[in-house]
PDB file of all heavy atoms in Angstrom:
ATOM      1  N   ALA A  25       4.703  -2.703  -7.150  1.00 94.00           N
ATOM      2  CA  ALA A  25       5.695  -1.926  -7.903  1.00 94.00           C
ATOM      3  C   ALA A  25       5.117  -1.273  -9.154  1.00 94.00           C
ATOM      4  O   ALA A  25       5.323  -0.068  -9.374  1.00 94.00           O
ATOM      5  CB  ALA A  25       6.889  -2.817  -8.258  1.00 94.00           C
ATOM      6  N   PRO A  26       4.378  -2.007 -10.022  1.00 93.00           N
ATOM      7  CA  PRO A  26       3.804  -1.336 -11.198  1.00 93.00           C
ATOM      8  C   PRO A  26       2.830  -0.226 -10.829  1.00 93.00           C
ATOM      9  O   PRO A  26       2.781   0.810 -11.520  1.00 93.00           O
ATOM     10  CB  PRO A  26       3.092  -2.474 -11.937  1.00 93.00           C
ATOM     11  CG  PRO A  26       3.753  -3.723 -11.449  1.00 93.00           C
ATOM     12  CD  PRO A  26       4.113  -3.460 -10.039  1.00 93.00           C
ATOM     13  N   ALA A  27       2.080  -0.409  -9.731  1.00 93.00           N
ATOM     14  CA  ALA A  27       1.128   0.624  -9.320  1.00 93.00           C
ATOM     15  C   ALA A  27       1.855   1.898  -8.909  1.00 93.00           C
ATOM     16  O   ALA A  27       1.394   3.007  -9.198  1.00 93.00           O
ATOM     17  CB  ALA A  27       0.276   0.098  -8.158  1.00 93.00           C
ATOM     18  N   VAL A  28       2.994   1.749  -8.251  1.00 92.00           N
ATOM     19  CA  VAL A  28       3.759   2.932  -7.859  1.00 92.00           C
ATOM     20  C   VAL A  28       4.344   3.616  -9.091  1.00 92.00           C
ATOM     21  O   VAL A  28       4.310   4.850  -9.210  1.00 92.00           O
ATOM     22  CB  VAL A  28       4.879   2.534  -6.867  1.00 92.00           C
ATOM     23  CG1 VAL A  28       5.763   3.741  -6.551  1.00 92.00           C
ATOM     24  CG2 VAL A  28       4.285   1.963  -5.583  1.00 92.00           C
ATOM     25  N   VAL A  29       4.861   2.839 -10.018  1.00 93.00           N
ATOM     26  CA  VAL A  29       5.476   3.413 -11.219  1.00 93.00           C
ATOM     27  C   VAL A  29       4.457   4.191 -12.050  1.00 93.00           C
ATOM     28  O   VAL A  29       4.731   5.302 -12.524  1.00 93.00           O
ATOM     29  CB  VAL A  29       6.120   2.293 -12.064  1.00 93.00           C
ATOM     30  CG1 VAL A  29       6.586   2.843 -13.410  1.00 93.00           C
ATOM     31  CG2 VAL A  29       7.292   1.682 -11.312  1.00 93.00           C
ATOM     32  N   PHE A  30       3.261   3.618 -12.185  1.00 92.00           N
ATOM     33  CA  PHE A  30       2.230   4.249 -13.015  1.00 92.00           C
ATOM     34  C   PHE A  30       1.259   5.097 -12.197  1.00 92.00           C
ATOM     35  O   PHE A  30       0.192   5.479 -12.690  1.00 92.00           O
ATOM     36  CB  PHE A  30       1.461   3.178 -13.795  1.00 92.00           C
ATOM     37  CG  PHE A  30       2.311   2.430 -14.778  1.00 92.00           C
ATOM     38  CD1 PHE A  30       2.742   1.141 -14.498  1.00 92.00           C
ATOM     39  CD2 PHE A  30       2.727   3.022 -15.965  1.00 92.00           C
ATOM     40  CE1 PHE A  30       3.535   0.437 -15.396  1.00 92.00           C
ATOM     41  CE2 PHE A  30       3.512   2.330 -16.868  1.00 92.00           C
ATOM     42  CZ  PHE A  30       3.928   1.034 -16.584  1.00 92.00           C
ATOM     43  N   ASN A  31       1.630   5.362 -10.940  1.00 92.00           N
ATOM     44  CA  ASN A  31       0.860   6.259 -10.080  1.00 92.00           C
ATOM     45  C   ASN A  31      -0.601   5.812  -9.929  1.00 92.00           C
ATOM     46  O   ASN A  31      -1.519   6.634  -9.944  1.00 92.00           O
ATOM     47  CB  ASN A  31       0.916   7.697 -10.631  1.00 92.00           C
ATOM     48  CG  ASN A  31       0.575   8.725  -9.561  1.00 92.00           C
ATOM     49  OD1 ASN A  31       0.822   8.493  -8.375  1.00 92.00           O
ATOM     50  ND2 ASN A  31      -0.002   9.834  -9.969  1.00 92.00           N
ATOM     51  N   ASP A  32      -0.794   4.525  -9.767  1.00 93.00           N
ATOM     52  CA  ASP A  32      -2.140   3.963  -9.609  1.00 93.00           C
ATOM     53  C   ASP A  32      -2.367   3.669  -8.121  1.00 93.00           C
ATOM     54  O   ASP A  32      -2.087   2.580  -7.626  1.00 93.00           O
ATOM     55  CB  ASP A  32      -2.275   2.687 -10.440  1.00 93.00           C
ATOM     56  CG  ASP A  32      -3.711   2.201 -10.522  1.00 93.00           C
ATOM     57  OD1 ASP A  32      -4.540   2.642  -9.694  1.00 93.00           O
ATOM     58  OD2 ASP A  32      -4.015   1.372 -11.412  1.00 93.00           O
ATOM     59  N   GLU A  33      -2.873   4.651  -7.398  1.00 92.00           N
ATOM     60  CA  GLU A  33      -3.051   4.514  -5.958  1.00 92.00           C
ATOM     61  C   GLU A  33      -4.125   3.479  -5.616  1.00 92.00           C
ATOM     62  O   GLU A  33      -4.017   2.783  -4.602  1.00 92.00           O
ATOM     63  CB  GLU A  33      -3.406   5.869  -5.344  1.00 92.00           C
ATOM     64  CG  GLU A  33      -2.292   6.900  -5.464  1.00 92.00           C
ATOM     65  CD  GLU A  33      -2.645   8.204  -4.759  1.00 92.00           C
ATOM     66  OE1 GLU A  33      -3.763   8.275  -4.183  1.00 92.00           O
ATOM     67  OE2 GLU A  33      -1.813   9.129  -4.773  1.00 92.00           O
ATOM     68  N   GLN A  34      -5.143   3.371  -6.441  1.00 93.00           N
ATOM     69  CA  GLN A  34      -6.209   2.401  -6.160  1.00 93.00           C
ATOM     70  C   GLN A  34      -5.678   0.969  -6.236  1.00 93.00           C
ATOM     71  O   GLN A  34      -5.971   0.136  -5.374  1.00 93.00           O
ATOM     72  CB  GLN A  34      -7.362   2.584  -7.143  1.00 93.00           C
ATOM     73  CG  GLN A  34      -8.522   1.624  -6.881  1.00 93.00           C
ATOM     74  CD  GLN A  34      -9.694   1.856  -7.814  1.00 93.00           C
ATOM     75  OE1 GLN A  34      -9.694   2.787  -8.628  1.00 93.00           O
ATOM     76  NE2 GLN A  34     -10.709   1.006  -7.710  1.00 93.00           N
ATOM     77  N   ALA A  35      -4.888   0.690  -7.255  1.00 93.00           N
ATOM     78  CA  ALA A  35      -4.317  -0.654  -7.388  1.00 93.00           C
ATOM     79  C   ALA A  35      -3.381  -0.954  -6.224  1.00 93.00           C
ATOM     80  O   ALA A  35      -3.353  -2.077  -5.703  1.00 93.00           O
ATOM     81  CB  ALA A  35      -3.580  -0.773  -8.713  1.00 93.00           C
ATOM     82  N   ALA A  36      -2.618   0.041  -5.790  1.00 93.00           N
ATOM     83  CA  ALA A  36      -1.722  -0.162  -4.658  1.00 93.00           C
ATOM     84  C   ALA A  36      -2.507  -0.434  -3.377  1.00 93.00           C
ATOM     85  O   ALA A  36      -2.145  -1.299  -2.581  1.00 93.00           O
ATOM     86  CB  ALA A  36      -0.818   1.052  -4.479  1.00 93.00           C
ATOM     87  N   ALA A  37      -3.612   0.306  -3.184  1.00 93.00           N
ATOM     88  CA  ALA A  37      -4.443   0.096  -2.001  1.00 93.00           C
ATOM     89  C   ALA A  37      -5.077  -1.293  -2.014  1.00 93.00           C
ATOM     90  O   ALA A  37      -5.180  -1.948  -0.975  1.00 93.00           O
ATOM     91  CB  ALA A  37      -5.522   1.169  -1.930  1.00 93.00           C
ATOM     92  N   GLU A  38      -5.484  -1.762  -3.199  1.00 93.00           N
ATOM     93  CA  GLU A  38      -6.056  -3.102  -3.298  1.00 93.00           C
ATOM     94  C   GLU A  38      -5.006  -4.166  -2.997  1.00 93.00           C
ATOM     95  O   GLU A  38      -5.313  -5.216  -2.410  1.00 93.00           O
ATOM     96  CB  GLU A  38      -6.633  -3.305  -4.699  1.00 93.00           C
ATOM     97  CG  GLU A  38      -7.868  -2.455  -4.975  1.00 93.00           C
ATOM     98  CD  GLU A  38      -8.355  -2.586  -6.412  1.00 93.00           C
ATOM     99  OE1 GLU A  38      -7.651  -3.263  -7.207  1.00 93.00           O
ATOM    100  OE2 GLU A  38      -9.411  -2.020  -6.744  1.00 93.00           O
ATOM    101  N   THR A  39      -3.772  -3.899  -3.366  1.00 93.00           N
ATOM    102  CA  THR A  39      -2.699  -4.848  -3.062  1.00 93.00           C
ATOM    103  C   THR A  39      -2.472  -4.939  -1.558  1.00 93.00           C
ATOM    104  O   THR A  39      -2.350  -6.034  -0.991  1.00 93.00           O
ATOM    105  CB  THR A  39      -1.400  -4.414  -3.761  1.00 93.00           C
ATOM    106  OG1 THR A  39      -1.611  -4.396  -5.182  1.00 93.00           O
ATOM    107  CG2 THR A  39      -0.267  -5.383  -3.435  1.00 93.00           C
ATOM    108  N   LEU A  40      -2.442  -3.786  -0.890  1.00 93.00           N
ATOM    109  CA  LEU A  40      -2.255  -3.794   0.557  1.00 93.00           C
ATOM    110  C   LEU A  40      -3.467  -4.360   1.286  1.00 93.00           C
ATOM    111  O   LEU A  40      -3.341  -4.868   2.409  1.00 93.00           O
ATOM    112  CB  LEU A  40      -1.970  -2.384   1.062  1.00 93.00           C
ATOM    113  CG  LEU A  40      -0.602  -1.791   0.712  1.00 93.00           C
ATOM    114  CD1 LEU A  40      -0.469  -0.397   1.315  1.00 93.00           C
ATOM    115  CD2 LEU A  40       0.520  -2.685   1.214  1.00 93.00           C
ATOM    116  N   ALA A  41      -4.649  -4.283   0.680  1.00 92.00           N
ATOM    117  CA  ALA A  41      -5.859  -4.798   1.327  1.00 92.00           C
ATOM    118  C   ALA A  41      -5.791  -6.303   1.558  1.00 92.00           C
ATOM    119  O   ALA A  41      -6.513  -6.845   2.396  1.00 92.00           O
ATOM    120  CB  ALA A  41      -7.085  -4.455   0.481  1.00 92.00           C
ATOM    121  N   ALA A  42      -4.895  -6.981   0.828  1.00 91.00           N
ATOM    122  CA  ALA A  42      -4.729  -8.418   1.035  1.00 91.00           C
ATOM    123  C   ALA A  42      -4.204  -8.736   2.432  1.00 91.00           C
ATOM    124  O   ALA A  42      -4.314  -9.868   2.903  1.00 91.00           O
ATOM    125  CB  ALA A  42      -3.776  -8.993  -0.022  1.00 91.00           C
ATOM    126  N   LEU A  43      -3.675  -7.730   3.111  1.00 91.00           N
ATOM    127  CA  LEU A  43      -3.187  -7.941   4.477  1.00 91.00           C
ATOM    128  C   LEU A  43      -4.327  -8.232   5.448  1.00 91.00           C
ATOM    129  O   LEU A  43      -4.065  -8.665   6.584  1.00 91.00           O
ATOM    130  CB  LEU A  43      -2.402  -6.714   4.952  1.00 91.00           C
ATOM    131  CG  LEU A  43      -1.095  -6.430   4.209  1.00 91.00           C
ATOM    132  CD1 LEU A  43      -0.488  -5.112   4.686  1.00 91.00           C
ATOM    133  CD2 LEU A  43      -0.104  -7.572   4.425  1.00 91.00           C
ATOM    134  N   GLU A  44      -5.556  -7.978   5.056  1.00 91.00           N
ATOM    135  CA  GLU A  44      -6.689  -8.310   5.911  1.00 91.00           C
ATOM    136  C   GLU A  44      -6.745  -9.804   6.211  1.00 91.00           C
ATOM    137  O   GLU A  44      -7.326 -10.222   7.221  1.00 91.00           O
ATOM    138  CB  GLU A  44      -7.997  -7.876   5.248  1.00 91.00           C
ATOM    139  CG  GLU A  44      -8.162  -6.368   5.112  1.00 91.00           C
ATOM    140  CD  GLU A  44      -9.475  -5.993   4.450  1.00 91.00           C
ATOM    141  OE1 GLU A  44     -10.226  -6.926   4.072  1.00 91.00           O
ATOM    142  OE2 GLU A  44      -9.739  -4.792   4.312  1.00 91.00           O
ATOM    143  N   LEU A  45      -6.145 -10.611   5.332  1.00 89.00           N
ATOM    144  CA  LEU A  45      -6.125 -12.056   5.551  1.00 89.00           C
ATOM    145  C   LEU A  45      -5.167 -12.439   6.676  1.00 89.00           C
ATOM    146  O   LEU A  45      -5.157 -13.600   7.096  1.00 89.00           O
ATOM    147  CB  LEU A  45      -5.724 -12.769   4.252  1.00 89.00           C
ATOM    148  CG  LEU A  45      -6.634 -12.526   3.042  1.00 89.00           C
ATOM    149  CD1 LEU A  45      -6.077 -13.218   1.812  1.00 89.00           C
ATOM    150  CD2 LEU A  45      -8.050 -13.021   3.333  1.00 89.00           C
ATOM    151  N   ARG A  46      -4.364 -11.486   7.126  1.00 89.00           N
ATOM    152  CA  ARG A  46      -3.431 -11.730   8.219  1.00 89.00           C
ATOM    153  C   ARG A  46      -3.892 -10.910   9.427  1.00 89.00           C
ATOM    154  O   ARG A  46      -3.563  -9.728   9.538  1.00 89.00           O
ATOM    155  CB  ARG A  46      -2.008 -11.342   7.825  1.00 89.00           C
ATOM    156  CG  ARG A  46      -1.429 -12.154   6.691  1.00 89.00           C
ATOM    157  CD  ARG A  46      -1.189 -13.600   7.128  1.00 89.00           C
ATOM    158  NE  ARG A  46      -0.419 -14.359   6.163  1.00 89.00           N
ATOM    159  CZ  ARG A  46      -0.932 -15.011   5.138  1.00 89.00           C
ATOM    160  NH1 ARG A  46      -2.245 -14.981   4.935  1.00 89.00           N
ATOM    161  NH2 ARG A  46      -0.161 -15.705   4.305  1.00 89.00           N
ATOM    162  N   PRO A  47      -4.669 -11.501  10.348  1.00 89.00           N
ATOM    163  CA  PRO A  47      -5.241 -10.719  11.452  1.00 89.00           C
ATOM    164  C   PRO A  47      -4.204 -10.136  12.404  1.00 89.00           C
ATOM    165  O   PRO A  47      -4.518  -9.218  13.155  1.00 89.00           O
ATOM    166  CB  PRO A  47      -6.138 -11.739  12.169  1.00 89.00           C
ATOM    167  CG  PRO A  47      -5.599 -13.077  11.795  1.00 89.00           C
ATOM    168  CD  PRO A  47      -5.073 -12.915  10.397  1.00 89.00           C
ATOM    169  N   ARG A  48      -2.981 -10.643  12.390  1.00 92.00           N
ATOM    170  CA  ARG A  48      -1.955 -10.109  13.282  1.00 92.00           C
ATOM    171  C   ARG A  48      -1.220  -8.911  12.672  1.00 92.00           C
ATOM    172  O   ARG A  48      -0.430  -8.268  13.359  1.00 92.00           O
ATOM    173  CB  ARG A  48      -0.921 -11.195  13.611  1.00 92.00           C
ATOM    174  CG  ARG A  48      -1.509 -12.444  14.227  1.00 92.00           C
ATOM    175  CD  ARG A  48      -1.964 -12.223  15.641  1.00 92.00           C
ATOM    176  NE  ARG A  48      -2.509 -13.437  16.234  1.00 92.00           N
ATOM    177  CZ  ARG A  48      -2.928 -13.537  17.475  1.00 92.00           C
ATOM    178  NH1 ARG A  48      -2.856 -12.491  18.274  1.00 92.00           N
ATOM    179  NH2 ARG A  48      -3.421 -14.667  17.941  1.00 92.00           N
ATOM    180  N   MET A  49      -1.477  -8.641  11.408  1.00 93.00           N
ATOM    181  CA  MET A  49      -0.809  -7.515  10.758  1.00 93.00           C
ATOM    182  C   MET A  49      -1.471  -6.215  11.213  1.00 93.00           C
ATOM    183  O   MET A  49      -2.680  -6.029  11.081  1.00 93.00           O
ATOM    184  CB  MET A  49      -0.903  -7.657   9.240  1.00 93.00           C
ATOM    185  CG  MET A  49       0.011  -6.723   8.489  1.00 93.00           C
ATOM    186  SD  MET A  49       1.764  -7.052   8.787  1.00 93.00           S
ATOM    187  CE  MET A  49       1.938  -8.679   8.053  1.00 93.00           C
ATOM    188  N   ILE A  50      -0.674  -5.299  11.753  1.00 93.00           N
ATOM    189  CA  ILE A  50      -1.215  -4.067  12.317  1.00 93.00           C
ATOM    190  C   ILE A  50      -1.354  -2.989  11.257  1.00 93.00           C
ATOM    191  O   ILE A  50      -2.409  -2.357  11.123  1.00 93.00           O
ATOM    192  CB  ILE A  50      -0.309  -3.564  13.462  1.00 93.00           C
ATOM    193  CG1 ILE A  50      -0.233  -4.610  14.576  1.00 93.00           C
ATOM    194  CG2 ILE A  50      -0.828  -2.237  14.016  1.00 93.00           C
ATOM    195  CD1 ILE A  50       0.744  -4.252  15.675  1.00 93.00           C
ATOM    196  N   VAL A  51      -0.295  -2.758  10.505  1.00 94.00           N
ATOM    197  CA  VAL A  51      -0.313  -1.668   9.527  1.00 94.00           C
ATOM    198  C   VAL A  51       0.624  -2.014   8.377  1.00 94.00           C
ATOM    199  O   VAL A  51       1.627  -2.716   8.555  1.00 94.00           O
ATOM    200  CB  VAL A  51       0.109  -0.335  10.199  1.00 94.00           C
ATOM    201  CG1 VAL A  51       1.530  -0.405  10.680  1.00 94.00           C
ATOM    202  CG2 VAL A  51      -0.083   0.846   9.261  1.00 94.00           C
ATOM    203  N   GLY A  52       0.265  -1.545   7.196  1.00 94.00           N
ATOM    204  CA  GLY A  52       1.104  -1.654   6.019  1.00 94.00           C
ATOM    205  C   GLY A  52       1.124  -0.321   5.295  1.00 94.00           C
ATOM    206  O   GLY A  52       0.064   0.273   5.058  1.00 94.00           O
ATOM    207  N   CYS A  53       2.316   0.168   4.980  1.00 94.00           N
ATOM    208  CA  CYS A  53       2.453   1.492   4.374  1.00 94.00           C
ATOM    209  C   CYS A  53       3.353   1.400   3.139  1.00 94.00           C
ATOM    210  O   CYS A  53       4.454   0.849   3.208  1.00 94.00           O
ATOM    211  CB  CYS A  53       3.062   2.488   5.363  1.00 94.00           C
ATOM    212  SG  CYS A  53       2.212   2.533   6.965  1.00 94.00           S
ATOM    213  N   LEU A  54       2.863   1.948   2.050  1.00 94.00           N
ATOM    214  CA  LEU A  54       3.620   1.950   0.800  1.00 94.00           C
ATOM    215  C   LEU A  54       4.002   3.391   0.478  1.00 94.00           C
ATOM    216  O   LEU A  54       3.147   4.279   0.439  1.00 94.00           O
ATOM    217  CB  LEU A  54       2.767   1.361  -0.327  1.00 94.00           C
ATOM    218  CG  LEU A  54       3.442   1.194  -1.685  1.00 94.00           C
ATOM    219  CD1 LEU A  54       4.591   0.196  -1.600  1.00 94.00           C
ATOM    220  CD2 LEU A  54       2.414   0.722  -2.724  1.00 94.00           C
ATOM    221  N   TYR A  55       5.303   3.608   0.254  1.00 94.00           N
ATOM    222  CA  TYR A  55       5.812   4.951  -0.026  1.00 94.00           C
ATOM    223  C   TYR A  55       6.373   5.009  -1.446  1.00 94.00           C
ATOM    224  O   TYR A  55       6.927   4.030  -1.944  1.00 94.00           O
ATOM    225  CB  TYR A  55       6.924   5.323   0.967  1.00 94.00           C
ATOM    226  CG  TYR A  55       6.505   5.284   2.414  1.00 94.00           C
ATOM    227  CD1 TYR A  55       6.675   4.129   3.172  1.00 94.00           C
ATOM    228  CD2 TYR A  55       5.940   6.401   3.016  1.00 94.00           C
ATOM    229  CE1 TYR A  55       6.302   4.090   4.508  1.00 94.00           C
ATOM    230  CE2 TYR A  55       5.558   6.366   4.352  1.00 94.00           C
ATOM    231  CZ  TYR A  55       5.732   5.207   5.089  1.00 94.00           C
ATOM    232  OH  TYR A  55       5.363   5.173   6.405  1.00 94.00           O
ATOM    233  N   SER A  56       6.214   6.169  -2.067  1.00 91.00           N
ATOM    234  CA  SER A  56       6.787   6.383  -3.394  1.00 91.00           C
ATOM    235  C   SER A  56       8.269   6.714  -3.265  1.00 91.00           C
ATOM    236  O   SER A  56       8.796   6.833  -2.151  1.00 91.00           O
ATOM    237  CB  SER A  56       6.051   7.514  -4.119  1.00 91.00           C
ATOM    238  OG  SER A  56       6.177   8.723  -3.384  1.00 91.00           O
ATOM    239  N   GLN A  57       8.918   6.881  -4.396  1.00 89.00           N
ATOM    240  CA  GLN A  57      10.366   7.131  -4.375  1.00 89.00           C
ATOM    241  C   GLN A  57      10.703   8.457  -3.705  1.00 89.00           C
ATOM    242  O   GLN A  57      11.773   8.599  -3.105  1.00 89.00           O
ATOM    243  CB  GLN A  57      10.917   7.102  -5.797  1.00 89.00           C
ATOM    244  CG  GLN A  57      12.440   7.096  -5.867  1.00 89.00           C
ATOM    245  CD  GLN A  57      12.943   6.863  -7.284  1.00 89.00           C
ATOM    246  OE1 GLN A  57      12.182   6.958  -8.243  1.00 89.00           O
ATOM    247  NE2 GLN A  57      14.221   6.543  -7.421  1.00 89.00           N
ATOM    248  N   ASP A  58       9.793   9.431  -3.778  1.00 89.00           N
ATOM    249  CA  ASP A  58      10.033  10.725  -3.134  1.00 89.00           C
ATOM    250  C   ASP A  58       9.542  10.744  -1.689  1.00 89.00           C
ATOM    251  O   ASP A  58       9.304  11.818  -1.124  1.00 89.00           O
ATOM    252  CB  ASP A  58       9.373  11.856  -3.931  1.00 89.00           C
ATOM    253  CG  ASP A  58       7.872  11.627  -4.100  1.00 89.00           C
ATOM    254  OD1 ASP A  58       7.365  10.594  -3.597  1.00 89.00           O
ATOM    255  OD2 ASP A  58       7.206  12.461  -4.724  1.00 89.00           O
ATOM    256  N   GLU A  59       9.366   9.536  -1.101  1.00 87.00           N
ATOM    257  CA  GLU A  59       8.970   9.345   0.302  1.00 87.00           C
ATOM    258  C   GLU A  59       7.573   9.866   0.596  1.00 87.00           C
ATOM    259  O   GLU A  59       7.246  10.219   1.737  1.00 87.00           O
ATOM    260  CB  GLU A  59       9.995   9.999   1.244  1.00 87.00           C
ATOM    261  CG  GLU A  59      11.384   9.393   1.124  1.00 87.00           C
ATOM    262  CD  GLU A  59      12.339   9.935   2.168  1.00 87.00           C
ATOM    263  OE1 GLU A  59      12.007  10.959   2.806  1.00 87.00           O
ATOM    264  OE2 GLU A  59      13.420   9.344   2.356  1.00 87.00           O
ATOM    265  N   ARG A  60       6.728   9.903  -0.406  1.00 91.00           N
ATOM    266  CA  ARG A  60       5.327  10.284  -0.210  1.00 91.00           C
ATOM    267  C   ARG A  60       4.521   9.034   0.129  1.00 91.00           C
ATOM    268  O   ARG A  60       4.725   7.971  -0.447  1.00 91.00           O
ATOM    269  CB  ARG A  60       4.785  10.944  -1.476  1.00 91.00           C
ATOM    270  CG  ARG A  60       3.301  11.307  -1.405  1.00 91.00           C
ATOM    271  CD  ARG A  60       2.907  12.095  -2.649  1.00 91.00           C
ATOM    272  NE  ARG A  60       3.142  11.324  -3.863  1.00 91.00           N
ATOM    273  CZ  ARG A  60       2.238  10.505  -4.414  1.00 91.00           C
ATOM    274  NH1 ARG A  60       1.041  10.328  -3.827  1.00 91.00           N
ATOM    275  NH2 ARG A  60       2.536   9.854  -5.525  1.00 91.00           N
ATOM    276  N   LEU A  61       3.620   9.148   1.105  1.00 92.00           N
ATOM    277  CA  LEU A  61       2.757   8.026   1.480  1.00 92.00           C
ATOM    278  C   LEU A  61       1.807   7.737   0.327  1.00 92.00           C
ATOM    279  O   LEU A  61       0.957   8.553  -0.012  1.00 92.00           O
ATOM    280  CB  LEU A  61       1.990   8.351   2.757  1.00 92.00           C
ATOM    281  CG  LEU A  61       1.155   7.211   3.361  1.00 92.00           C
ATOM    282  CD1 LEU A  61       2.047   6.021   3.719  1.00 92.00           C
ATOM    283  CD2 LEU A  61       0.403   7.692   4.596  1.00 92.00           C
ATOM    284  N   PHE A  62       1.957   6.563  -0.279  1.00 93.00           N
ATOM    285  CA  PHE A  62       1.239   6.245  -1.512  1.00 93.00           C
ATOM    286  C   PHE A  62      -0.027   5.432  -1.249  1.00 93.00           C
ATOM    287  O   PHE A  62      -1.080   5.678  -1.847  1.00 93.00           O
ATOM    288  CB  PHE A  62       2.181   5.463  -2.449  1.00 93.00           C
ATOM    289  CG  PHE A  62       1.689   5.382  -3.860  1.00 93.00           C
ATOM    290  CD1 PHE A  62       1.808   6.456  -4.721  1.00 93.00           C
ATOM    291  CD2 PHE A  62       1.104   4.216  -4.329  1.00 93.00           C
ATOM    292  CE1 PHE A  62       1.344   6.378  -6.032  1.00 93.00           C
ATOM    293  CE2 PHE A  62       0.643   4.123  -5.628  1.00 93.00           C
ATOM    294  CZ  PHE A  62       0.762   5.212  -6.486  1.00 93.00           C
ATOM    295  N   ALA A  63       0.031   4.450  -0.379  1.00 93.00           N
ATOM    296  CA  ALA A  63      -1.134   3.621  -0.065  1.00 93.00           C
ATOM    297  C   ALA A  63      -0.921   3.041   1.334  1.00 93.00           C
ATOM    298  O   ALA A  63       0.216   2.866   1.784  1.00 93.00           O
ATOM    299  CB  ALA A  63      -1.322   2.508  -1.085  1.00 93.00           C
ATOM    300  N   THR A  64      -2.055   2.764   2.008  1.00 93.00           N
ATOM    301  CA  THR A  64      -1.960   2.277   3.383  1.00 93.00           C
ATOM    302  C   THR A  64      -2.970   1.160   3.647  1.00 93.00           C
ATOM    303  O   THR A  64      -3.985   1.025   2.951  1.00 93.00           O
ATOM    304  CB  THR A  64      -2.224   3.406   4.400  1.00 93.00           C
ATOM    305  OG1 THR A  64      -3.567   3.887   4.216  1.00 93.00           O
ATOM    306  CG2 THR A  64      -1.240   4.547   4.215  1.00 93.00           C
ATOM    307  N   TYR A  65      -2.639   0.385   4.660  1.00 94.00           N
ATOM    308  CA  TYR A  65      -3.583  -0.575   5.248  1.00 94.00           C
ATOM    309  C   TYR A  65      -3.492  -0.435   6.756  1.00 94.00           C
ATOM    310  O   TYR A  65      -2.386  -0.418   7.325  1.00 94.00           O
ATOM    311  CB  TYR A  65      -3.243  -2.019   4.864  1.00 94.00           C
ATOM    312  CG  TYR A  65      -3.928  -3.029   5.763  1.00 94.00           C
ATOM    313  CD1 TYR A  65      -5.277  -3.341   5.597  1.00 94.00           C
ATOM    314  CD2 TYR A  65      -3.237  -3.627   6.823  1.00 94.00           C
ATOM    315  CE1 TYR A  65      -5.914  -4.226   6.451  1.00 94.00           C
ATOM    316  CE2 TYR A  65      -3.872  -4.525   7.668  1.00 94.00           C
ATOM    317  CZ  TYR A  65      -5.203  -4.819   7.475  1.00 94.00           C
ATOM    318  OH  TYR A  65      -5.834  -5.694   8.323  1.00 94.00           O
ATOM    319  N   HIS A  66      -4.634  -0.305   7.430  1.00 91.00           N
ATOM    320  CA  HIS A  66      -4.673  -0.174   8.877  1.00 91.00           C
ATOM    321  C   HIS A  66      -5.676  -1.179   9.429  1.00 91.00           C
ATOM    322  O   HIS A  66      -6.846  -1.192   9.015  1.00 91.00           O
ATOM    323  CB  HIS A  66      -5.098   1.240   9.299  1.00 91.00           C
ATOM    324  CG  HIS A  66      -4.175   2.317   8.826  1.00 91.00           C
ATOM    325  ND1 HIS A  66      -3.044   2.693   9.514  1.00 91.00           N
ATOM    326  CD2 HIS A  66      -4.221   3.103   7.715  1.00 91.00           C
ATOM    327  CE1 HIS A  66      -2.435   3.668   8.860  1.00 91.00           C
ATOM    328  NE2 HIS A  66      -3.129   3.926   7.758  1.00 91.00           N
TER     329      HIS A  66
END
């Protein structure tokens, strides 16, 4: 949430990167309030 508010895409991407610890997780997508794709994990 703070990364989205302060437009810190790198911090948001690092947050989603924690999903690597879950091998069954396929994709994680973070969107901003204007529905813009903000950060992803694949």
Side-chain angles (χ1 to χ4, degrees):
V28 175
V29 172
F30 296 104
N31 200 30
D32 191 343
E33 295 184 0
Q34 181 177 356
E38 291 175 355
T39 299
L40 289 181
L43 294 174
E44 293 180 358
L45 301 177
R46 296 292 190 273
R48 303 288 181 177
M49 193 64 65
I50 299 174
V51 64
C53 308
L54 184 64
Y55 302 92
S56 61
Q57 191 172 14
D58 57 0
E59 298 187 346
R60 177 174 60 89
L61 186 60
F62 195 77
T64 62
Y65 163 78
H66 299 274

